[in-house]
Amino acid sequence: MAKVHASEIETEPHDSGRRPPRAVVGSHRVEEEMFGRAFDKKIIRRIWAFVRPYRAMAVASVAALLVFTGTQLLIPLIIRYAIDHAITPAGVDRSAVLAAAGAFALAILVNFAAAYAQETVVGKMAENVLFDIRCAMFIHLQKVSLSFMDKTEVGRLMSRLQGDVNSIHEFLETSIYSVGDIALLFGIMFVMLWVNFSLGFLTLSVLPALLMIRIVWLPRAREAFMAAQETNSVVNGALAEAIHGVRTVQSMDRQQVNFLLYDDKAHADLRTHLVAARYAQVMVPIVDGLTGLAMAVVIVVGGSTIVNGGIDVGVLVAYIFYIQRFFDPIRSLTAQYSVMQRAMASGKRLTDVLDVRIEIQDKPDARILAPEMDGSVEFRNVTFGYEPNHPVLKNVSFRVNPGETVALVGPTGSGKSSAMALVHRFYDAQQGQVMVGGHDVRDLTQESLGNQIAMVLQEPFLFTGTIFENIRYHKTEATRDKVIGAAKVVGAHDFIMSLPDRYETQLGERGGNLSLGQRQLVSFARALVADAKILVLDEATASIDSYTEMLIQKALRKLLEGRTGLVIAHRLATIRGADRIIVLQNGQVIETGNHDKLMAMGGLYSKLYNLNYSSFDDIPVEEADPTGQAASRT
Amino acid sequence: MSRPARFRRRKILSGHSVGSDAVGTTSLKSSAHVKAAGWGRGLSTLLRITRMNLRHPWQVALAIGSTMVAVILQLLIPQLLGRAVDQTQVAIGGGVTVTAAEQALWTPALLLLGASTLRGLFTMAQNYFAEAVGHHVAYELRLACYDKVQRLSFSFHDRVHSGDLITLGILDLDGVRMYFSTVLVRLLLLTMLIGIGAYMMISTDPVLGLIALSFVPFVAWRSSVTQLKLRVIWLDLQERLSVLGRVMEENLAGIRVVRAFSAQAYEMVKFDRASKNALKLAHEQVDVYVPNTSAMTLAFFFAMGLVLWIGCNKVIAGQISVGTLTMFLAFMTILQMPVRQIGLMVNGFARAYTCGSRLFGLLDQDITIRDASTARPLEIGEGTLRFDNVSFAYPGTGNRAILKNITFSARRGETIAIVGPPGSGKSTMAHLIPRFYDVTGGTIMLDGQDIRGVTLATLRQAVAVVQQDAFLFTTTIENNIAYGDPWAKAQRIERASESAQLHNYILGLPAGYKTVVGERGASLSGGQRQRLTIARTMMLRPSIVIFDDATAAIDAATEQRIRAAIRRFAKDRVTIIIAHRLSSLKHADRILFVDNGEIVERGTHQELLAQCGRYKALHDLQLRPEDDIATTYRGAP
């Protein structure tokens, strides 16, 4: 292949000249394994656990399905009866016509009722199970540790919650129908052999032929279908990229190159789809040919049996009806194989998520942290690492007194964010104790702890919805006045009032229609409404325009009023405003005290401060490093 | 006898989910908008799709020809079956010898085998060519959409949600693609099958024929109504599912916020509400679907029962033969599936109509910013940029001017800094130079040429903008850096990334310059992204380079080093820097302080400080962020 390609380029230098070596549009997604083993007992058992609550429905629908299949089998037999008994050349039997008509009416009514019941039950049950699985996963994800969430891309979890649960849904629906398919297949075989063994046997002999063709065809066809799906997602991805990146594309004048490259992909997509269409359609004449063959056999063999007086003509008619049907179950049963494989692969991924251990749990005798607690925070000899062998906090001890504001300062990677996460018990310390309000956080219920700690994260994350809903967030009992009051306190009220719908302005995805500074202010207001004794804040590092920066500084002061504050500070203004400063380096507390005291000490803090950057994060690694290296050498 | 209803259900539902036609609120809104546009436009849409199909005359002809042959062959089958059954009766009646009767069976048997196989072959051809036409049309539409989307001006993209555009290019395109196979070919097939079939049956026996056909109108009606209802539910369901998806996605992406506020219970309520909302509709879908399909099956069997009963009586009366009765029953079986699919056809019509209207709405969109008919390539001589009394208002915002009477000029080698409070119009000035938007008053000149009079391609090669929110394409770092010059040698790429202080970082990555970044690649921090964008610009050879707040996320020290590197790069260009960090702009040859769309102060850093005006206030504020300065910075209260 590669050689052919190279020679093409040689013979057509002009064509290769139009496609630059470093240009691509769209990208190939690394697909997860789509198909697993067709049958995995463990996974079936897990899926069954979700079906169990509906097992009465499942049993009822299988029963209805069998009744339905039974009537399907019965109808040709009734036709046969009518033809053979009512209108034999020997004589006319009007009562038989009436009996046949009555039986037929009964059969179709039962058929109707069974189909109705079974399809409704299966359809609803499968939907219920789908939503149940999704719900179980969602609940589980609310509890698993943050380190799992940090490691796992949101997109990946979303494809669990959407794609994978859907393939389980499909599997459930089709597997119940498969029961019907199998019943129908064996039913037809049984009836045909029972009515006339040799004729039935001869006719059924085309079945293995179809089965074999399907088995040969299936993997190839599946490959073709998957190739088509793949190229389709590639072109769609390329289109999405062109739309999202259109401003860059236009400013770099890449339209023509991109169009050529896109044309290549679109054309590849066209080709794979045509191939897939060929694979899909090639089965049509095969099935039709085999149907014709089976009919021909019935006519020749069955016909001469009739002529010789062996059977009645009704048998022939009934057989013709059965032949038109008996390829369907084979078709859907072989398709079911792919569905099962896909479901097993999905089921594996779902159970992987459901089996993630929940590390942080309330103790059975966990206590509720009363809102009246003093609001102190204390670290007692805390050692912690995301991996036990690599501690990011080493034997850290400090205390934040009620109402005090403490700034945590230190170079990137010094353990500031980890300390903050421990206060809220996002993780458990390996050694030592984290105390809030005088209680070990592990002895408290997570919910009551969370209610007393408000957190403001570096990246202000806002939800879709109105500004009002975002400020109120989970405090659904907060009044409008309280929300507006909070916005006023943090200085967000003015800009909110200048928006088209004020507090009812719908935020775009992630609050995209607000600037970073504005989002920051909204997140401050949200923390204020949460009304907690302790405020933990991770200051934003990105540089914000000076005016908004000033608003934020003011808001911060308001926010910390009357609360215990633990602030990961980057800006000098914030740091200077703190009651006390704790300097962390390499996971250890190396200096503590207020600004003046630390300056007098002449340690890392004074050194960093004297470099005269407006933010500690501006300090280049080299300048903060010498002490760091010295520390690690000892 | 019917195929079990579930096949149809699966097929119909999956047909929906594969070929869905709208996701998201705005798309639904636009479909309502299409409805308002009236049937005239709808008809012209369908005609336009048909014309696109006809541009593949061979495949269209083959599909139509095959369909006709296949229908006729299919209609032969019941007749052959009837003949075979009669053949057996003749022998029993004693008309011919047993051997002769046995011999006679071979003819219909072989004809059946032949007709059935040929029908299969022609059906294959019919389906294949019908799909091929659709895929070719889809291919053409894809290219047209891509081209259009790439060329539509910024103001269009500001207005239209990107998600809706993607939906348009994926799902609406699919609706149009399916038109030929699910609507046109099926219409032909149904008309012929029902028409010829009805003629054959009624001419054989009018009473029995009419009874046999009695289920057709009922099933056609129910099937159409059901499909249209399901379509509405389906659109609604997609909408609710996308709300559910958003709730889950935001919860997971914002999981730290959720945990920080201990809001899990609240989030569960949100999830539960969205989930139940969707589930209710999923059940409703079943409730609409099942009774209707069951009723259709019942109607069919009811007609069959009548045919059987009356047919038997007629056979008894000697009016028809058993073979004829068999033929009627077989006819009904053949008709059943296609008749039930009338609903799909109606649905296909509705889809093609809405999807096509939306799609052509995009394709017919005017590109507001494009080459004038007299446009000439830009000729760069001295490299002078001049704003002459420039005013600007964003399209669709009335006359709310963002920029008013902006006049300044810059020569090659000069650096102009623009500073001002948020929303003052700084970035807008940057966007006017490469014509991302056109000025609404005044002119922008490059070496004496109005930028509206030169070709866009040459203009944009001459003007490079380093954007604030850098877009990374999902490809390797080196391809991203070389985005504007995809022929670049590796050495130049490395040099550019060295200048942008990115080289060392890249070397530290496991795959170095081959590391894939972007949406699905390794994630870079805001500062790294901005540095990559700077490197990307340094690959170009523009006459004018604009940094639009492009270093906000880069620390001051790194920025200093980048600036040193840029100084060499900027030597023979006009450089425009928009920033709020004063250290970024104090070395500029001229600083323009912009407020409310006007230049309120201009001069060098020293001159502006001496003026003791707004710039000075900003300068002091950055050194000492205290409350009292606020008023000065904002201007007099």
Side-chain angles (χ1 to χ4, degrees):
Chain A
M1 266 308 272
K3 263 185 186 166
V4 175
H5 201 70
S7 70
E8 271 173 9
I9 288 173
E10 271 169 17
T11 51
E12 289 184 335
H14 185 70
D15 193 55
S16 77
R18 288 153 62 202
R19 285 164 181 77
R22 294 193 195 283
V24 287
V25 294
S27 63
H28 282 270
R29 199 186 333 221
V30 187
E31 283 291 348
E32 286 161 322
E33 200 162 318
M34 258 187 84
F35 298 100
R37 266 164 43 201
F39 190 83
D40 188 328
K41 223 159 103 190
K42 260 192 284 181
I43 287 162
I44 296 275
R45 204 175 299 141
R46 295 295 292 269
I47 297 173
W48 173 247
F50 285 98
V51 183
R52 242 182 99 80
Y54 306 102
R55 61 187 181 283
M57 282 167 96
V59 170
S61 65
V62 168
L65 183 60
L66 291 176
V67 172
F68 174 80
T69 310
T71 57
Q72 298 264 350
L73 284 169
L74 205 59
I75 287 168
L77 286 177
I78 297 172
I79 294 173
R80 175 204 163 193
Y81 174 83
I83 290 174
D84 285 350
H85 292 265
I87 40 176
T88 46
V92 173
D93 184 352
R94 283 195 185 275
S95 66
V97 176
L98 219 59
F104 195 93
L106 195 66
I108 65 174
L109 282 175
V110 172
N111 178 283
F112 171 76
Y116 193 122
Q118 169 262 333
E119 284 201 49
T120 309
V121 172
V122 171
K124 293 191 178 180
M125 184 190 75
E127 293 287 351
N128 284 344
V129 171
L130 164 109
F131 279 82
D132 287 354
I133 296 180
R134 184 148 55 203
C135 189
M137 286 182 52
F138 188 77
I139 291 176
H140 194 73
L141 288 173
Q142 301 307 305
K143 295 180 190 156
V144 300
S145 78
L146 273 181
S147 40
F148 171 79
M149 299 301 286
D150 290 343
K151 275 190 308 230
T152 320
E153 279 170 58
V154 171
R156 233 156 242 277
L157 290 176
M158 284 305 286
S159 82
R160 296 300 84 82
L161 288 161
Q162 292 176 320
D164 285 332
V165 290
N166 277 334
S167 70
I168 301 285
H169 174 255
E170 188 190 10
F171 165 70
L172 276 178
E173 267 202 334
T174 55
S175 45
I176 289 187
Y177 290 131
S178 296
V179 175
D181 283 328
I182 292 169
L184 186 65
L185 186 62
F186 283 101
I188 289 177
M189 282 162 63
F190 172 76
V191 172
M192 285 178 90
L193 292 171
W194 171 63
V195 170
N196 186 305
F197 186 82
S198 57
L199 184 58
F201 190 80
L202 262 175
T203 318
L204 289 171
S205 61
V206 297
L207 274 186
L210 180 68
L211 192 65
M212 260 142 70
I213 291 170
R214 285 287 294 195
I215 288 170
V216 174
W217 169 86
L218 196 65
R220 289 170 177 75
R222 193 161 75 185
E223 204 173 302
F225 298 155
M226 278 175 59
Q229 231 173 56
E230 169 80 22
T231 54
N232 198 255
S233 79
V234 170
V235 268
N236 289 341
L239 176 69
E241 187 184 80
I243 292 168
H244 288 135
V246 67
R247 288 169 180 81
T248 307
V249 170
Q250 290 195 6
S251 71
M252 297 250 158
D253 199 36
R254 268 279 295 258
Q255 292 96 319
Q256 279 175 11
V257 168
N258 285 2
F259 184 75
L260 274 179
L261 296 169
Y262 183 77
D263 188 2
D264 292 346
K265 300 218 156 157
H267 204 260
D269 183 49
L270 174 64
R271 280 197 307 268
T272 55
H273 272 92
L274 292 179
V275 171
R278 262 171 241 155
Y279 269 104
Q281 293 306 324
V282 76
M283 280 311 284
V284 175
I286 292 171
V287 169
D288 278 5
L290 287 174
T291 310
L293 183 64
M295 283 188 189
V297 168
V298 167
I299 287 167
V300 172
V301 179
S304 45
T305 320
I306 295 169
V307 172
N308 289 309
I311 50 168
D312 293 325
V313 70
V315 175
L316 190 72
V317 177
Y319 269 47
I320 288 167
F321 277 97
Y322 285 129
I323 288 167
Q324 289 183 331
R325 284 301 321 278
F326 70 16
F327 291 111
D328 288 346
I330 294 197
R331 204 179 313 176
S332 55
L333 279 173
T334 45
Q336 171 69 3
Y337 186 75
S338 301
V339 173
M340 278 184 80
Q341 282 183 313
R342 201 160 43 225
M344 291 305 131
S346 292
K348 173 86 176 52
R349 287 193 288 266
L350 293 183
T351 49
D352 283 350
V353 171
L354 286 169
D355 290 345
V356 174
R357 219 161 54 84
I358 296 173
E359 283 157 4
I360 312 271
Q361 270 175 312
D362 286 353
K363 278 187 184 169
D365 55 344
R367 292 167 47 181
I368 289 176
L369 181 62
E372 295 79 32
M373 59 108 188
D374 62 7
S376 64
V377 174
E378 191 178 355
F379 275 56
R380 288 187 187 161
N381 305 318
V382 171
T383 297
F384 167 73
Y386 299 95
E387 289 157 44
N389 297 331
H390 296 275
V392 288
L393 291 177
K394 298 165 202 159
N395 200 22
V396 168
S397 298
F398 64 83
R399 184 179 155 82
V400 187
N401 297 316
E404 195 184 27
T405 297
V406 166
L408 281 179
V409 172
T412 312
S414 55
K416 295 168 293 185
S417 305
S418 307
M420 172 168 144
L422 290 183
V423 176
H424 203 292
R425 206 187 164 205
F426 284 169
Y427 311 96
D428 274 341
Q430 270 104 29
Q431 281 166 39
Q433 275 181 308
V434 178
M435 316 285 285
V436 170
H439 304 280
D440 189 320
V441 290
R442 284 167 294 195
D443 296 333
L444 299 167
T445 64
Q446 290 175 73
E447 197 180 350
S448 68
L449 177 66
N451 283 336
Q452 294 314 317
I453 302 175
M455 274 182 128
V456 177
L457 305 168
Q458 205 173 51
E459 281 287 312
F461 185 97
L462 300 183
F463 295 84
T464 314
T466 63
I467 296 210
F468 175 77
E469 286 163 349
N470 264 287
I471 295 179
R472 191 181 60 175
Y473 192 44
H474 71 308
K475 292 274 179 193
T476 42
E477 72 279 4
T479 60
R480 193 156 202 93
D481 288 346
K482 191 169 178 195
V483 166
I484 295 176
K488 277 184 179 159
V489 169
V490 301
H493 183 69
D494 287 346
F495 93 79
I496 295 172
M497 292 308 278
S498 72
L499 295 171
D501 294 318
R502 293 158 188 196
Y503 282 85
E504 295 311 314
T505 304
Q506 282 286 338
L507 294 185
E509 211 179 322
R510 311 268 191 276
N513 38 355
L514 301 183
S515 75
L516 177 63
Q518 292 171 330
R519 274 180 278 159
Q520 199 77 249
L521 290 177
V522 171
S523 80
F524 280 7
R526 178 169 67 187
L528 200 61
V529 169
D531 195 24
K533 269 258 164 68
I534 300 168
L535 180 81
V536 181
L537 185 137
D538 194 351
E539 201 173 29
T541 48
S543 101
I544 294 170
D545 72 90
S546 312
Y547 174 66
T548 316
E549 175 70 55
M550 190 188 65
L551 279 180
I552 287 174
Q553 286 295 334
K554 257 169 81 178
L556 193 53
R557 240 164 286 161
K558 291 281 183 192
L559 205 55
L560 287 165
E561 245 166 45
R563 284 173 229 280
T564 307
L566 191 59
V567 182
I568 299 183
H570 304 285
R571 300 178 198 283
L572 287 183
T574 318
I575 296 169
R576 274 188 311 220
D579 297 318
R580 212 143 42 93
I581 300 159
I582 294 175
V583 184
L584 278 172
Q585 190 180 32
N586 287 326
Q588 284 167 313
V589 176
I590 55 167
E591 289 164 33
T592 334
N594 63 18
H595 176 72
D596 295 336
K597 187 179 157 200
L598 290 183
M599 289 308 286
M601 270 168 69
L604 179 67
Y605 179 82
S606 71
K607 202 169 162 204
L608 295 181
Y609 188 85
N610 285 330
L611 286 172
N612 210 9
Y613 288 100
S614 67
S615 154
F616 268 29
D617 291 274
D618 286 354
I619 298 162
V621 186
E622 308 90 78
E623 300 200 49
D625 216 30
T627 26
Q629 277 184 345
S632 62
R633 242 179 263 139
T634 52
Chain B
M1 196 157 123
S2 77
R3 291 171 182 209
R6 65 198 134 92
F7 287 114
R8 286 182 297 277
R9 166 149 190 259
R10 239 183 273 165
K11 207 168 171 184
I12 292 163
L13 292 185
S14 69
H16 260 286
S17 48
V18 171
S20 51
D21 48 2
V23 174
T25 358
T26 21
S27 325
L28 280 175
K29 270 185 215 140
S30 48
S31 87
H33 166 76
V34 166
K35 240 168 237 158
W39 286 100
R41 190 173 153 205
L43 189 67
S44 77
T45 301
L46 296 181
L47 282 176
R48 189 161 164 189
I49 303 174
T50 311
R51 271 203 306 279
M52 292 196 77
N53 290 326
L54 289 177
R55 255 182 260 152
H56 304 276
W58 281 109
Q59 276 145 330
V60 168
L62 282 168
I64 289 176
S66 310
T67 309
M68 298 203 300
V69 178
V71 169
I72 289 165
L73 286 166
Q74 183 161 26
L75 287 168
L76 279 178
I77 292 170
Q79 289 201 309
L80 291 169
L81 284 173
R83 232 176 85 190
V85 169
D86 279 346
Q87 209 72 252
T88 62
Q89 296 306 87
V90 172
I92 295 165
V96 291
T97 62
V98 169
T99 355
E102 277 180 3
Q103 287 296 320
L105 285 169
W106 278 95
T107 320
L110 289 176
L111 281 175
L112 249 177
L113 176 60
S116 192
T117 311
L118 281 174
R119 183 201 93 93
L121 285 170
F122 279 99
T123 306
M124 171 177 82
Q126 166 208 322
N127 292 341
Y128 176 75
F129 288 115
E131 277 196 42
V133 170
H135 285 305
H136 278 98
V137 167
Y139 166 68
E140 288 156 10
L141 282 173
R142 254 185 238 292
L143 293 187
C145 277
Y146 189 85
D147 189 49
K148 197 75 187 189
V149 160
Q150 277 204 119
R151 285 175 199 285
L152 278 166
S153 26
F154 278 32
S155 56
F156 174 85
H157 287 285
D158 294 342
R159 203 172 62 235
V160 178
H161 196 274
S162 58
D164 291 341
L165 267 186
I166 295 170
T167 307
L168 204 76
I170 296 175
L171 300 179
D172 287 343
L173 195 130
D174 228 35
V176 174
R177 171 177 72 79
M178 311 266 284
Y179 179 68
F180 186 69
S181 59
T182 61
V183 176
L184 290 186
V185 170
R186 185 159 287 156
L187 184 65
L188 173 73
L189 184 134
L190 277 167
T191 318
M192 283 186 67
L193 202 60
I194 297 175
I196 302 176
Y199 170 77
M200 286 165 82
M201 288 202 274
I202 291 172
S203 61
T204 311
D205 187 305
V207 177
L208 217 49
L210 285 175
I211 295 168
L213 289 168
S214 65
F215 79 100
V216 174
F218 176 79
V219 171
W221 168 59
R222 275 330 301 171
S223 153
S224 307
V225 170
T226 310
Q227 278 302 321
L228 291 178
K229 259 195 209 161
L230 281 176
R231 185 181 148 78
V232 173
I233 296 177
W234 188 89
L235 289 174
D236 197 3
L237 180 61
Q238 289 314 301
E239 171 68 20
R240 293 186 193 190
L241 283 175
S242 81
V243 170
L244 175 62
R246 207 184 54 219
V247 168
M248 297 191 296
E249 199 267 343
E250 284 192 339
N251 172 281
L252 298 176
I255 193 80
R256 279 179 179 272
V257 176
V258 175
R259 304 270 171 106
F261 284 88
S262 286
Q264 286 97 328
Y266 172 71
E267 289 287 316
M268 272 317 296
V269 171
K270 255 199 328 197
F271 170 84
D272 212 46
R273 200 184 306 137
S275 179
K276 287 218 168 85
N277 235 339
L279 181 62
K280 214 174 80 194
L281 216 55
H283 281 181
E284 205 174 300
Q285 203 174 26
V286 175
D287 284 335
V288 168
Y289 180 77
V290 173
N292 277 297
T293 45
S294 310
M296 284 190 257
T297 313
L298 187 64
F300 169 75
F301 277 138
F302 185 72
M304 188 184 250
L306 278 181
V307 167
L308 190 64
W309 190 23
I310 295 168
C312 279
N313 283 321
K314 281 186 175 259
V315 173
I316 293 166
Q319 287 165 336
I320 57 168
S321 66
V322 181
T324 309
L325 179 59
T326 312
M327 183 191 87
F328 272 96
L329 294 174
F331 254 134
M332 290 186 71
T333 320
I334 284 175
L335 278 183
Q336 195 211 4
M337 259 311 269
V339 171
R340 298 182 74 132
Q341 286 173 349
I342 287 177
L344 282 182
M345 191 182 75
V346 172
N347 186 35
F349 256 120
R351 259 188 83 188
Y353 161 67
T354 40
C355 295
S357 302
R358 273 199 296 257
L359 201 60
F360 294 138
L362 170 72
L363 295 180
D364 296 344
Q365 194 68 234
D366 260 342
I367 297 176
T368 45
I369 294 184
R370 54 174 179 197
D371 289 349
S373 54
T374 56
R376 297 202 318 203
L378 174 69
E379 281 165 33
I380 293 290
E382 301 172 341
T384 311
L385 167 73
R386 185 169 167 74
F387 270 58
D388 203 356
N389 244 330
V390 168
S391 306
F392 178 73
Y394 280 101
T397 56
N399 287 323
R400 217 171 66 96
I402 298 292
L403 294 177
K404 290 166 244 170
N405 305 321
I406 300 283
T407 301
F408 72 89
S409 65
R411 279 197 317 275
R412 168 181 298 185
E414 278 188 324
T415 299
I416 306 285
I418 303 176
V419 64
S424 55
K426 296 169 299 205
S427 289
T428 308
M429 280 167 76
H431 285 163
L432 293 180
I433 303 170
R435 274 189 86 197
F436 293 154
Y437 303 89
D438 271 341
V439 296
T440 39
T443 41
I444 298 174
M445 314 273 259
L446 265 175
D447 276 346
Q449 302 151 82
D450 187 330
I451 54 168
R452 284 168 297 184
V454 300
T455 60
L456 266 184
T458 55
L459 175 68
R460 287 182 181 166
Q461 274 157 24
V463 181
V465 184
V466 188
Q467 308 265 9
Q468 187 177 6
D469 43 353
F471 185 84
L472 296 190
F473 296 88
T474 310
T475 176
T476 59
I477 288 186
E478 64 177 3
N479 287 359
N480 262 297
I481 295 177
Y483 197 76
D485 181 8
W487 299 98
K489 295 257 177 336
Q491 218 183 357
R492 272 194 66 215
I493 296 172
E494 285 180 26
R495 230 178 305 140
S497 78
E498 265 168 29
S499 304
Q501 306 298 315
L502 197 62
H503 183 65
N504 286 336
Y505 171 75
I506 297 172
L507 289 187
L509 293 171
Y513 277 87
K514 304 277 181 214
T515 308
V516 173
V517 291
E519 244 176 285
R520 289 192 224 107
S523 54
L524 300 183
S525 75
Q528 286 155 353
R529 291 167 82 98
Q530 288 193 338
R531 280 185 269 166
L532 199 151
T533 329
I534 291 171
R536 188 188 270 173
T537 307
M538 297 186 78
M539 295 294 295
L540 307 173
R541 296 177 182 83
S543 304
I544 294 172
V545 57
I546 304 161
F547 293 88
D548 182 5
D549 208 357
T551 51
I554 299 173
D555 66 79
T558 309
E559 195 198 341
Q560 287 307 323
R561 288 196 292 265
I562 294 176
R563 206 147 297 288
I566 287 177
R567 220 165 286 147
R568 287 193 299 276
F569 178 77
K571 211 169 63 200
D572 43 1
R573 306 169 208 278
V574 173
T575 307
I576 295 177
I577 295 175
I578 297 167
H580 48 254
R581 194 188 274 153
L582 289 189
S583 61
S584 311
L585 38 85
K586 65 181 169 201
H587 302 295
D589 296 302
R590 233 162 314 142
I591 298 170
L592 310 177
F593 193 105
V594 182
D595 192 13
N596 259 324
E598 287 173 293
I599 299 177
V600 292
E601 287 173 24
R602 62 173 90 200
T604 63
H605 179 67
Q606 296 305 331
E607 286 166 9
L608 289 180
L609 285 186
Q611 274 185 28
C612 280
R614 305 285 298 282
Y615 182 80
K616 172 77 161 52
L618 177 68
H619 180 259
D620 294 348
L621 179 70
Q622 287 203 0
L623 287 186
R624 211 157 39 89
E626 307 294 340
D627 296 357
D628 47 328
I629 303 164
T631 41
T632 357
Y633 178 59
R634 276 253 94 180

